[in-house]
Amino acid sequence: MAKDKTAYVCENCGQESAKWVGKCPSCGQWNTFKEIRISSDTGTRAAKSAATTVRSKSDNQNRPLRLKDISSKDEPRIDMRDEELNRVLGGGLVPGSIILLGGEPGIGKSTLTLQTVLNINDKRILYVSGEESAHQLKMRAERITTSSSENLLILTETSLENVFNHIKETQPEIVVIDSIQTMATEDVDSSPGSISQVRECASALLRFAKTSGVPVLLIGHINKEGSLAGPKILEHIVDTVIQFEGDQHHIYRILRSIKNRFGSTSELGIYEMKQNGLRQVSNPSELLLTQDHDGLSGIAISAAIEGVRPFLVETQALVSTAAYGTPQRSATGFDQRRLNMLLAVLEKRVGFKLAQKDVFLNIAGGLRVTDLATDLSVIAAVLSSNVDTPIESGWCMAGEVGLSGEVRPVARIEQRIAEAEKLGFKHIIIPKYNMSGVSHRNSQIEIIPVRKVEEALRALFG
């Protein structure tokens, strides 16, 4: 029997080393190398045995193929019966893929997964839970839906070898592991959740998925820094990494793709957390906008796009005199460094002195927006709160603000205008350089092109 090997892996980036080093040569972090023991046959025999049983006899072993002989057609995807999840995955679940779903504890990862597999009635699914008992899963399933799937099998197990034995017996078409941090293999002498266990269990499950063609969905936790717990190499092993985000004090949850070998990483799925599970939000604009904010200063509406999906978000700002010596700058759902840059532009280019004032910014609904087109609404909301003058209802805007105070063009301007018009807005401020991409059509919304921030503020406040 081959002797086990010892290696050191960086917890932050997954860099391997034959010996311990204080500073990682890849990411530059200190004291991140942890010792792991690599078994010579960790999970290999169990994974191969399960894959051989599940795989049909007609499948041939891998052999070299000419590039011209390989089919370029997309493989048929598995419909997850969830439009938001299908969009984030790139059209559905690819056979033989391995998916990692991450998120904070209690955010709703298990609820989303169980709700999804309960709606898939034409596939045999094995749900392996290492955190909850079968009774707890049954109570959650009854709370989510009244109908029970005949093809859903529940297994409470933490041993990877026992899981592969049950896979060999049941021959499922989809495998769910909840969670990867609770799984352990007998070939690694360490506790579940350690770097060695997470790495080797994920490798064995990847080997099973690729050799059998059965997709595997892994659920993982994230640490306090917001990254997935365990070794960074876990993200390199899987095909797709999707993260479930949201504030537990808000009802909205966002499903975001971080890595996707079978689709785009710019897609976004939005859910609403309710007592009976997660509800898909097909039109987030209507939910993210306050119904009535007439007479309230510091509120501006922005036409943002996440992925290929346009929606209108409400930007809220509060500017007040600094009660202490150093003014505070706080942003929720928006990059704070970009907020500081926009405040500098507002002071230097427009002439409003904000150096001795506190500025608080919030994106309503608990969302985190990364679209640069929200710059214009941030400046408008800050100025509205500073002069305590509300922006009239029916106005929205989209535009990136440069350091010289110019309003730079943004992408997909037609979709932004159409979304604003659909929700009943009467005026929209866009960059002047985007006018060439706007088709001349009979629209009910007034388009106001601007070249500088001063022009946009003059149109809003007169």
Side-chain angles (χ1 to χ4, degrees), residues 172-197:
E173 297 174 86
I174 300 176
V175 176
V176 179
I177 305 293
D178 184 11
S179 66
I180 186 61
Q181 278 83 14
T182 61
M183 292 293 114
T185 176
E186 298 174 357
D187 297 324
V188 176
D189 187 16
S190 61
S191 60
S194 64
I195 294 180
S196 304
Q197 290 287 6

Side-chain angles (χ1 to χ4, degrees), residues 5 47 55 63 69 74 121 142 156 181 189 195-196 205 257 260 297 302 318 320 331 339 344 361 379 384 399 410:
K5 297 180 180 180
R55 186 175 52 207
R63 63 182 187 277
D69 296 334
D74 293 336
N121 298 317
E142 289 180 346
T156 55
Q181 278 83 14
D189 187 16
I195 294 180
S196 304
L205 289 167
S257 176
N260 195 351
S297 63
S302 175
L318 175 62
S320 62
L339 172 62
L361 185 72
I379 285 184
S384 172
V410 295

Side-chain angles (χ1 to χ4, degrees), residues 228 235 241-243 245 256-260 265:
L228 286 159
E235 299 181 34
V241 179
I242 52 180
Q243 192 154 325
E245 304 173 353
R256 198 185 299 271
S257 176
I258 301 175
K259 168 190 175 182
N260 195 351
T265 57

Side-chain angles (χ1 to χ4, degrees), residues 102-109 244-248 252-253 273 278:
E104 296 179 356
I107 203 69
K109 303 183 299 295
F244 209 35
E245 304 173 353
D247 191 343
Q248 295 185 4
Y252 300 115
R253 301 288 187 269
M273 177 65 79
L278 292 160

Side-chain angles (χ1 to χ4, degrees), residues 124-390:
R124 181 182 289 271
I125 303 171
L126 179 62
Y127 190 103
V128 182
S129 177
E131 298 182 342
E132 297 177 297
S133 64
H135 179 66
Q136 288 175 303
L137 290 171
K138 176 64 176 178
M139 292 175 58
R140 176 178 291 174
E142 289 180 346
R143 177 171 56 87
I144 293 174
T145 180
T146 55
S147 61
S148 59
S149 175
E150 298 292 335
N151 293 324
L152 179 60
L153 305 175
I154 302 296
L155 173 64
T156 55
E157 184 61 69
T158 58
S159 172
L160 187 65
E161 285 76 16
N162 293 339
V163 169
F164 281 130
N165 290 334
H166 288 288
I167 290 176
K168 189 175 179 180
E169 294 175 4
T170 58
Q171 299 188 18
E173 297 174 86
I174 300 176
V175 176
V176 179
I177 305 293
D178 184 11
S179 66
I180 186 61
Q181 278 83 14
T182 61
M183 292 293 114
T185 176
E186 298 174 357
D187 297 324
V188 176
D189 187 16
S190 61
S191 60
S194 64
I195 294 180
S196 304
Q197 290 287 6
V198 171
R199 169 181 171 149
E200 300 302 335
C201 290
S203 299
L205 289 167
L206 172 69
R207 192 177 301 112
F208 161 75
K210 297 305 179 183
T211 54
S212 66
V214 175
V216 177
L217 177 60
L218 307 178
I219 298 178
H221 300 297
I222 64 173
N223 53 28
K224 60 182 180 181
E225 286 82 17
S227 58
L228 286 159
K232 194 71 174 179
I233 198 170
L234 180 61
E235 299 181 34
H236 303 319
I237 289 176
V238 300
D239 296 316
T240 303
V241 179
I242 52 180
Q243 192 154 325
F244 209 35
E245 304 173 353
D247 191 343
Q248 295 185 4
H249 302 290
H250 290 84
I251 62 175
Y252 300 115
R253 301 288 187 269
I254 297 178
L255 193 63
R256 198 185 299 271
S257 176
I258 301 175
K259 168 190 175 182
N260 195 351
R261 289 174 177 160
F262 307 110
S264 173
T265 57
S266 59
E267 291 294 349
L268 196 74
I270 300 179
Y271 295 87
E272 180 185 2
M273 177 65 79
K274 305 183 73 174
Q275 186 66 27
N276 58 348
L278 292 160
R279 186 184 71 85
Q280 303 176 44
V281 178
S282 57
N283 188 8
S285 298
E286 296 179 356
L287 296 176
L288 297 176
L289 297 179
T290 305
Q291 296 300 320
D292 184 17
H293 53 78
D294 288 340
L296 301 178
S297 63
I299 296 179
I301 309 299
S302 175
I305 281 187
E306 287 290 334
V308 296
R309 192 175 191 182
F311 56 90
L312 303 186
V313 294
E314 183 179 303
T315 306
Q316 302 174 345
L318 175 62
V319 180
S320 62
T321 304
Y324 305 100
T326 304
Q328 299 183 61
R329 302 286 188 262
S330 177
T332 303
F334 191 79
D335 187 4
Q336 186 165 341
R337 291 174 297 180
R338 189 154 192 90
L339 172 62
N340 294 333
M341 184 270 287
L342 294 175
L343 294 178
V345 171
L346 193 58
E347 184 168 343
K348 178 73 173 179
R349 304 298 179 186
V350 187
F352 285 89
K353 304 300 181 182
L354 301 172
Q356 300 301 320
K357 295 189 177 181
D358 295 336
V359 179
F360 304 95
L361 185 72
N362 177 49
I363 304 297
L367 295 180
R368 178 164 186 83
V369 179
T370 58
D371 189 6
L372 296 179
T374 57
D375 289 353
L376 203 55
S377 66
V378 169
I379 285 184
V382 168
L383 186 57
S384 172
S385 178
N386 185 44
V387 299
D388 199 17
T389 301

